[in-house]
Every structure is written in C-alpha cells, then in structure tokens.
Amino acid sequence: MAGAGILGGGAAAGRSTGAPPRGGGGGGAQLLRWRRRRRERWLVALGIALHAVYMLSIFDIYFKTPIVHGTLPVPPRFSPPARRVVLLVADGLRADKFFEPDAEGGFRAPFLRSVMREKGRWGVSHARPPTESRPGHVAIIAGFYEDPSAVTKGWKANPVEFDSVFNQSRHTFAFGSPDIVPIFCSSLSHSTWGTYPHEYEDFATDASFLDQWSFDQFHGLLNRSHDDPKLRQLLRQDKLVIFLHLLGCDTNGHAHRPYSSIYLNNVKVVDQIAEGVYNLMENYFKDNRTAYVFTADHGMSDKGSHGDGHPSNTDTPLVAWGAGIKSPKYLAHAEESDDGFRFVDDHKHHMPTPQEWGLAGIERLDVNQADIAPLMSTLVGLPCPVNSVGNLPSQYLKLSKADEVEAALANTKQILNQFLRKSQLKQSSSLYFKPFKPLANHSSVLDQIEDLMSARDYETAMRYVENLRSLSLAGLHYFQTYDWLMLMTTITLGYIGWMVNVIIHVLQSYTIFPSNPFLKKNQASLLQPMSEKVYIGGCLLAGLLSLLLVLEKSPPLYHAYVLMTVFLWTQIFSNIQFLESIWRELSSRTFSSIINLLFISGVALFVLEFLVMSFFERKLYTWCFLIVGLLAAIFILLFIPGNPFVAVYIWASCWFISIFTLMPAEIPDNNNLVIFSGALIIVIGMASRWVDSKTDKIKFGLYLSLANKKGHRLLMLFFIQVILVGLSSIMVWLSTSHRAQNKELLPMHQLINWSIAGSSLVLPLFSPPSILSRLTSIFLGFAPPFLLLSIGYEAVFYSAFALVLMGWILVECAYLYSSGERGSSLGYSEVGSADERCLQLSDLRIPLIFMVLFNVAFFGTGNFASIASFEISSVYRFITIFSPFLMAALLIFKLFIPFMLVICVFSAITKLVRVPRLGCYFLVILLSDVMTIHFFFLVRNTGSWMEIGNSISHFGIMSAQVVFVLMLFALTNIYTKDIEVSSRRLSSQKEL
C-alpha cells in the first residue's frame, strides 16, 4: 500500500522518508515521489501554521483586549454613603430559581425577599457570554467583559493585570473557591483571603457545605478581631470590601441539575448565609454604614451546564440594601412601554416580571453585570476600576441630586479617559489616523456639564453626562475595530491563496492530464522552486508591508497575517506556467466535459452550503438522510439487481439516524437508553460477524473480506469485546444507581470502569485486517468507553451512526462493482504505489460524503458548536472530584469517538477504491476551507451575545479542522494502516 507520511505508512513511504534516492532504472519516478512527499509535509505544516494564526485573527478583528494601560483613576468628588461594602456572589444561581416560589407556595430566600420588600432594591443582572465563573466575576468586580481570547491563556490565572474594586479598596477580605478568590487577591498586598482545597469540590456530595465554609471563615475572622488589635484596626477602616464566594449552587447544579432538591435547598442555604452576614456586620459595627450587594456570576441550564447566552445562563439575581441604597419603590400595575434599550444578552430594558415571583408591584431595576462594579465603587467612595465599561445604576443609590450627578460624571470621565487613551495610542502609531468625530468636542461638553452643575440644573447635566458616556462607549468600540477592513482583506486573501495552493498540489501530484503535451515536456521544470523574479518580487512586497506595519507599531500577529498571505500568493505566481497549462487543458476539453466539471463543482458547493446552514438548523440533516437513504436504495436496486437486502439496509439505516437530529440539543438523562444501546451494539456486532461469514453470497462481498482469515482468532477476540460491552452496560447501571443515593464513586467501580475503557481500545489492533472484520472490531472497541461516558440518547446514536457508515461502505462497493461491470478503467499509475490510481473528478464524492458524516458527528449527539454542550455529568462514572483538565480530556475523548469512526471508514474506503489517502485529505481540507471563509464573514459583533458567541464557535471549529482532522487521521492510522482489500483479486476474476 502507498505511504502517506503522517497519515499512514507503507513500504513506499518508508523508503522515501530520508535522503533522495539515487541512480537506478526507476530512479526518476522515485525521485518525483520523494519530492512530492517532501512537498506534502511542507504543505501540511504550512496548513497547520496558517490556520492556527488565522484563527487568532478573529480576536484582533472583533475582540482585542479591552484593557488599556496608562489610564488614571477618577476619584469621586462627594462624600460616600457607606464605609464598607459586602459582596455576596452565589456562583451558578439562576434568577428564576431564586425568585420563584417552592412546591409548598413559600419562597426559598425569605430573608432576601424581605430585603426586597422593606430595605433595598432588586432586579436582574444580565451577564454576557461566555457565562463562566471567571468572566462573570471579572465583570462584577472589575466592570469589564474580559477579552474572549483569555480563555486560550487559561481562566485560572490572570492573563493580564487589570484594575478592580478590590485594587482600589483600602483593604479587601475574601473567602471562597480556590478557582476565583486568588484571581483577584493573590497579588494584592492589601488583602486578607482564604480558600478551601480543590478536593472539597466533590460532585458526588451536597456541596452546600462549601458556602458554609466561607461564612464560617468570615465569622471566625470577626471573632479573632476582638483579640487582635491590628485586625480590628483593618476592619474599622473606611473603603473596605468584603467578598464571600459561595460555590455550592454551581457544584450542585452541575452534579444534580438546577431543578433538583439539593440545588433548590442550596438556595435556602445561600439566603441563610446572607442573613447571617447581615446580622454579624450590623452587630459588629453598629454604625449603619455598611452596604450589601447580593448577586450571581451566571445561571445554569436545565441540564446542569452553563457558558452560552441562553436566558437561564445570563439572568442572575441582584439585591442591594444598606447604606446608600434606596428603599423599595411600590408601583401601580400600569405596564411600561419598551424604551428600545437592550442589555448585553439582548434582553429588553422593560421585561415583564413573572407573576409567580410575587414582585410585580415592586420596582424592578435590571442592570448589566458590569454595572455592579461602579455601583460598589460609588457606595464606598472608590474610583471606578480604570477599565470598567459599566454604567452606574443611579436608581439604586440614595444620594442628593448634586452627588448623583457627581457620581455619574466620575463614571463617565473614567470611560472617557479610556477612549482618550486608546485614541492617543492609535494616533501615535498610525501613518493616517481617522479620529472618532462625535467626541471631537468632548472638552467643551465637560465644561457645559460643570456649568450646568454650578447652576444646579441637575436634570440637564445628567442628560449631558449620560450622552457623553454613551458616546465614549461607542468610541471605545470604534477603536476596538479600527483595523477591521485591513485585517478582513488580508485574511480573506490568505485563505484564498491557501486554497489555490492546495488545488495546485492536488492537480500536480494526484491527477494526470494526458492530452496536454506541455505538461509532459516541462514536467521537470514545473517541480523546480519558484522563479527568481517572482521570489524577488514577493520578498520586496513582504519587506515593504512589514516596514509599514513597523512604522504603525502593529502587533506581531499583524506581521504574521500579512507575510503569510504574501508568501502564499508568491507561491501561486511561481506556478503560473502550470496554471496556464491547466487553462489550456480545460480549453481543449469538449463542451460536455466542461458541463460535467461545472455540474460536479455546483453539487459540491451546494453540499458545502448545506453544511453551513446545518450549523444553524441541524434538523436539515433529517431531511438529508430521508432523501439520501431513498436514493441510495434505488441506486442499489437499479445497478446491482438481486441484492434487495442491501438496499433495504441502507434505506433503514439512513432513516434510523435521521431521528437524532430532531432530538433536543440538551441531552436528558436516560440510563435505560444507555443500557439498551449496549445490547444493540452487541446485536450489531453479531450481525456484522454473520455477514462477514456470508460475503461470498453477495455480489460485491469479496471486497469486504479476505480468504485467509483466522476464524478461531476472530471468534475469541469477538467474544472478549462483546463481554466488555456487556460489562460496560452493567457498570453504567451500577455506577449511576450508587450515585443516585448521593454517595461517592466507589474506588472499585472507578477501577473497573477505567480498566474496561482502556483494554477495549487496544483489542481492535489484534483483529484480522479485512475491512469488515477490522471495522467491526473498532466499532466494538470504542463502544465501552462511549457507553460509560453517555447519559442518554447519544449512546443509541453511536449504533445508528455506525450502521450508516457501514451503508457508505456498501454503496462504495456497489459503485466499484458497477464500474467494473461497465468496464471502467481504474487508471492505476505511479501516484504513490502500484496499487493506487490517480484521482478522478468522480472521486470528489468521497471527501464530500466524509464532510457530511463528519459534521453529523458534531450534531448527532447535541449541539457541539455551543459551549453549553459539554455535559460534565458524562464523566461521573470515571471521576467526581473536581479536576478540570481530566474532566475536559474525558469529554473531548467522548466527542472524538464518532469522529474516529468516520475517519476509520474513510481510510478503509480510500484503500478499497485505491485512491491516495493523503490526496483525499487535501480535498477534505480544501472543502473545509470553503466553509471556513463563509463562516469568517458570518462572524458577528452585533446582536445578541448568543449569536456572536455561536458565530465565533462556528468559525473556530471549521478553522481548526485542518489540525483536528490531521490529528484524528494520525490516531486512527494505528487501527487502519494494515487493512487489506481484495478488490484487485476480484477484478482479475471478473476479467477472466
């Protein structure tokens, strides 16, 4: 078989991995093969680097870090109403679960509910995706929405230094999770903080004790202060911030779901802690100068996950009371009209309060999550964090009219200073600077505001302040996307250049143009490096553009974008003679062949656009499989009569899998389905083994098996794999039943589960090398870990998906058989070995079908393109103690399993049809990049943050596919490299 470098090994490849061959009668052809292998390795490396670099362009275009250094804080010019502020954050607390009544008609948070009715103000805080713990806390405490690229640097540690309410405080006391508190306090000298060990975060127990731990630590701190004068002096200071992070709801929501009794009881625990903190503070200080803010960083979906922009994740409670906070305002039951304002999660400003909350008569004041930071700063007289983009919610504050305008003006000046700093930095580095014109006269506006305040026209002054603040935020956005046009143009040209280079390589290495004498005559010259003129021109252009970027003090990545694009187009122009010869070849073709080329290209484009649409509406796959199943069955009946069973099988398997893209993206728990799937997998394995023994009865069955199979070896291996599948089903039942009693995962269960999953992955390596035997063994080998990581219908999807993949193999066998019947030439030539043939236009169906099935693997078990699709409860049969890296690895492995099945079948089909595997890989990447460019233009920076987040996810998934597919090809090559097919033997029999 042919070698394919990183994607596969063989004799031919093995001989050509070192130095170029010398001498010999066949030295010329061998030298060409060696050159092609070297060029392929270079092209693969280039593709990985290009996609990795271009993927980062999204953050430079839309989401550059909002942090700008060199901005000075703006101290408030009024006396603060509070000396200290207490911030209570209930991690993962949904707004509706907090406000709604329980099953008995009472309310889960009686103390905070009494606060809303008697002491303070309330509303819903709207978070922005990604609704994760670190971004949520950064928004609450620092007042800005963290750069999304920070996720690539790790949300456990600060990727950059930023200002926060804690930084501005005189002293901060903080207790809570080791994943949150150190982010803000570890490098803060004026802080006293403590965290519990990571081992406390056990998903198999009731985690409300974590909240109690934080409260106990704070209670102990106050008690110690009675005997510690230094500590008592710290506590008696003004501008004090106390932060309690309450993780219980988040952990219990992940483990038991937010509708469980454990989660709902945790809401009561949080309320009790809020009451306890209030009583402690009031009894300790007795000066009525403490302000309290209660909120959450994010919510929780019904399936126990968070991350996306669904209201269940973005809606969090906000309750504020104490010094400086207004008393409740009771309203008449008149409906308010929508003023057009939208929060960061695209919620309307005037949202109706659900009747069951029992709060319709009390004024509701919703805020953006970043608005909480300036609220806390204003309460204790601190400057707003210098990078905050939050708007001060004045409706919460009990201040005089003059102080209210002063507070709002300080907030506006702080945002304006960020704008001025960004404008200054951009102007100092731009050769041609385009200012933000609406703020050209900001100085005169500030003077007008000061004059209005002196004249005590506070209402007009407040309008001016709010308008200036809005313009400042718009100006910040303007400079965030200042380089948009240049970067979009550069990246688009780079992707097109990459695709043209891939097309040139595929045409040069895997196709033949026998009718063009120019190609034969100049073949040697076409393989030489680029001409000197093109090389010199490319270097001069790259140098000129780099000089311009240096003068503009552009980031290093800008240089990478431009240089990579110039390099790709230099490569294209170096192959101009080859492109001209291709044009001549096409011009000499008949009209019918041109129409055929256009038709197939149109079909390919239609399929790719269908795949793009499926990212937004995965139910399209249902119609796709209903139609394709019918057409494939008709094809078998028409061209290979006498095989009605095969036609019915393909039709039934396609219709079976069409059900799953109608299923809810949020997978509900159903262990009965998981156990049923184990039995179904065993039945499918037995059926496959029976078919393997009857292949001589099928017209094209000899493609699927080999004559020299070792029956005893196959039978023994099959029984072992079936036993492992059965054991995994039993362990699913045992582990889940044990955990349902709120018990920890037994070490014995954990050991058995790990052992089953690990051993089952090794067994397929010992299976016979025929296509059907090896693929059946791979299917049975991946089944145990997939079952142990499944929670519902995705376990059945695994079987349905495997049936469709087998149907693909049968269709390819039928196509190969019918081609032989019609006398079609296989076109064998020296592509990689004597057994491979050149790629033909009709072979485009293989990467196209692969693309469809590969994307079905994305969406068949839910909505992979959403952050919330990562269902953490999937790993509880292997680990329950919180370990983010191990849990993430298990989740990713589960998602990889359907992809690896597709690639194993794809590799088997390339061997069956005798086409070069690496050539098909390049076609897959080419087709993927057509979708990548489409998604690149679909990325949004307006609208709801759910839409923006999904658009980024879609682009990232497609852009990463060159690396993603290559890695999976390398992994699955372990299982498929020695697959043998007997198609040449069958062809010889038919010729005889």
Side-chain angles (χ1 to χ4, degrees), residues 13 216 246 288 323 339 368 395 464 470 526 814:
D216 291 343
L246 311 175
N288 295 322
D339 61 0
N368 285 323
Q395 306 94 323
Y464 273 64
S470 299
L526 290 172

Side-chain angles (χ1 to χ4, degrees), residues 325-531:
I325 302 295
K326 289 181 179 179
S327 300
K329 180 180 179 181
Y330 287 85
L331 303 172
H333 292 285
E335 292 205 5
E336 297 182 82
S337 60
D338 182 15
D339 61 0
F341 180 79
R342 297 293 185 273
F343 293 99
V344 288
D345 59 347
D346 206 34
H347 274 53
K348 294 180 180 179
H349 192 202
H350 294 292
M351 294 293 294
T353 300
Q355 289 293 328
E356 60 268 21
W357 289 8
L359 297 168
I362 307 175
E363 185 179 27
R364 167 180 167 179
L365 301 172
D366 286 11
V367 300
N368 285 323
Q369 195 171 58
D371 299 343
I372 298 175
L375 173 64
M376 292 190 295
S377 298
T378 302
L379 285 170
V380 289
L382 299 173
C384 292
V386 295
N387 293 116
S388 170
V389 294
N391 294 321
L392 177 66
S394 302
Q395 306 94 323
Y396 276 81
L397 294 170
K398 184 168 64 177
L399 299 173
S400 65
K401 286 290 184 182
D403 288 350
E404 188 176 332
V405 176
E406 284 284 5
L409 181 60
N411 176 218
T412 298
K413 285 181 177 179
Q414 170 263 321
I415 298 175
L416 178 63
N417 284 350
Q418 292 181 71
F419 162 79
L420 294 175
R421 179 59 178 163
K422 287 197 173 187
S423 178
Q424 177 189 2
L425 292 173
K426 181 56 68 175
Q427 186 174 7
S428 65
S429 62
S430 296
L431 299 177
Y432 174 70
F433 177 68
K434 294 177 289 182
F436 183 67
K437 295 180 181 179
L439 281 177
N441 62 340
H442 67 275
S443 298
S444 61
V445 175
L446 288 173
D447 292 339
Q448 290 178 19
I449 293 172
E450 295 289 350
D451 293 340
L452 289 168
M453 292 174 64
S454 299
R456 298 189 178 183
D457 188 355
Y458 298 121
E459 291 186 5
T460 306
M462 182 63 81
R463 287 199 301 270
Y464 273 64
V465 167
E466 291 175 349
N467 182 61
L468 182 59
R469 184 166 55 200
S470 299
L471 289 176
S472 299
L473 290 170
L476 287 176
H477 177 75
Y478 172 78
F479 285 112
Q480 284 292 103
T481 59
Y482 187 84
D483 298 321
W484 183 86
L485 182 60
M486 183 273 289
L487 290 174
M488 288 286 283
T489 303
T490 302
I491 300 302
T492 302
L493 288 174
Y495 274 119
I496 295 173
W498 158 256
M499 292 166 62
V500 174
N501 273 283
V502 172
I503 292 173
I504 290 173
H505 173 70
V506 171
L507 291 176
Q508 284 182 340
S509 302
Y510 299 107
T511 61
I512 291 179
F513 295 90
S515 62
N516 194 332
F518 178 85
L519 291 177
K520 296 180 180 179
K521 182 178 179 180
N522 298 279
Q523 189 175 17
S525 64
L526 290 172
L527 292 174
Q528 293 176 353
M530 66 182 73
S531 65

